[in-house]
Amino acid sequence: MMTYLYALLLAVVATSTAFNLERPLMSRHALHQPTRTTKLFSAEESVDSLDETLLRINFSVVQGAGIFESYANKALEAVRSYTQSFPFAAVLPVQPLTYLPIKMPDGSPALKVTFLRKKTAEKGSQDGGIVFTSRLVSEEDCDPDGLENYVLRIELQAKRIKEGQTIPKVFSEKQICLAFIKGLSETKGQELLAEGGGVVVDSVFHIWME
């Protein structure tokens, strides 16, 4: 009887050992490790290396009556249309560049100018750039009598992209920003701003001001 029990015990131990050998080894720490997921970043979110503000323009629109949300969006769209239609490549015909509409991490539309260079084993093709953003910075103002007198303000900013920039692109940045400002006073710029309900430039700041 004892011999039989001893043989049975050996069989159980052998089976358990074989089963454990087939299973992958896992530490106690791994058993309690939470599952990790990899966050995928879209191309539109690859603008987290923004640096100095190169240009800031404040616009305003005075509207006598109407629905604030309607004309506010129309005015903002006019500023964005000017930005998207601006001929950046014509300003710097020798500098290779691209300019494409993107979305910022908060979902707001923007425009990204990317300076290009020849790609090498040590350096990528991106050589810095500029991101143009615009947003509403105020809400409706109503007078005490309840009359709908609105003062709308829009802020446009151009920020340097330092990603990939090994040599400062100050000349290119300056030429683009100054040409962008000048274009606002030209015929096409005035027409686009007029489509927004009479958008006017209130103030301009750029880092090359004396």
Side-chain angles (χ1 to χ4, degrees):
M1 183 65 177
M2 293 297 294
T3 303
Y4 172 76
L5 292 176
Y6 181 72
L8 181 61
L9 179 60
L10 289 176
V12 171
V13 171
T15 303
S16 177
T17 302
F19 175 76
N20 289 330
L21 288 174
E22 293 175 0
R23 298 177 63 186
L25 296 177
M26 185 177 293
S27 67
R28 181 178 300 178
H29 175 73
L31 288 172
H32 295 281
Q33 189 76 1
T35 302
R36 296 182 180 180
T37 56
T38 302
K39 182 178 181 181
L40 301 178
F41 292 91
S42 65
E44 293 79 17
E45 293 178 308
S46 60
V47 290
D48 54 354
S49 57
L50 297 182
D51 194 15
E52 183 178 10
T53 298
L54 304 173
L55 170 67
R56 182 184 297 110
I57 304 176
N58 291 313
F59 301 87
S60 67
V61 183
V62 178
Q63 180 80 6
I67 301 175
F68 173 77
E69 183 179 359
S70 175
Y71 87 81
N73 290 335
K74 184 178 180 182
L76 182 59
E77 185 58 34
V79 173
R80 288 173 174 169
S81 294
Y82 171 77
T83 305
Q84 293 175 3
S85 63
F86 187 78
F88 293 96
V91 178
L92 297 170
V94 179
Q95 167 68 59
L97 59 82
T98 61
Y99 49 106
L100 299 169
I102 64 170
K103 284 193 179 296
M104 300 298 285
D106 63 359
S108 60
L111 186 129
K112 181 180 180 181
V113 178
T114 304
F115 301 132
L116 302 176
R117 65 176 169 228
K118 185 177 180 180
K119 187 176 182 180
T120 65
E122 295 78 20
K123 300 177 183 178
S125 60
Q126 180 171 336
D127 194 15
I130 306 173
V131 167
F132 288 81
T133 62
S134 51
R135 66 185 182 94
L136 298 173
V137 293
S138 66
E139 297 181 353
E140 63 184 81
D141 296 322
C142 295
D143 64 25
D145 297 327
L147 299 177
E148 295 178 327
N149 295 319
Y150 299 133
V151 178
L152 170 69
R153 291 180 176 81
I154 299 171
E155 180 186 71
L156 179 144
Q157 287 193 10
K159 286 183 174 288
R160 172 185 293 129
I161 303 174
K162 58 185 179 181
E163 179 183 354
Q165 192 176 102
T166 54
I167 300 175
K169 309 293 290 186
V170 178
F171 175 80
S172 298
E173 294 168 346
K174 180 179 180 180
Q175 295 306 308
I176 283 180
C177 289
L178 295 183
F180 188 90
I181 296 168
K182 182 181 178 182
L184 290 168
S185 61
E186 296 176 347
T187 302
K188 184 177 181 179
Q190 289 291 300
E191 290 175 351
L192 288 172
L193 295 183
E195 293 176 0
V199 181
V200 295
V201 177
D202 272 350
S203 63
V204 176
F205 162 82
H206 57 79
I207 63 173
W208 301 279
M209 296 179 70
E210 298 180 353

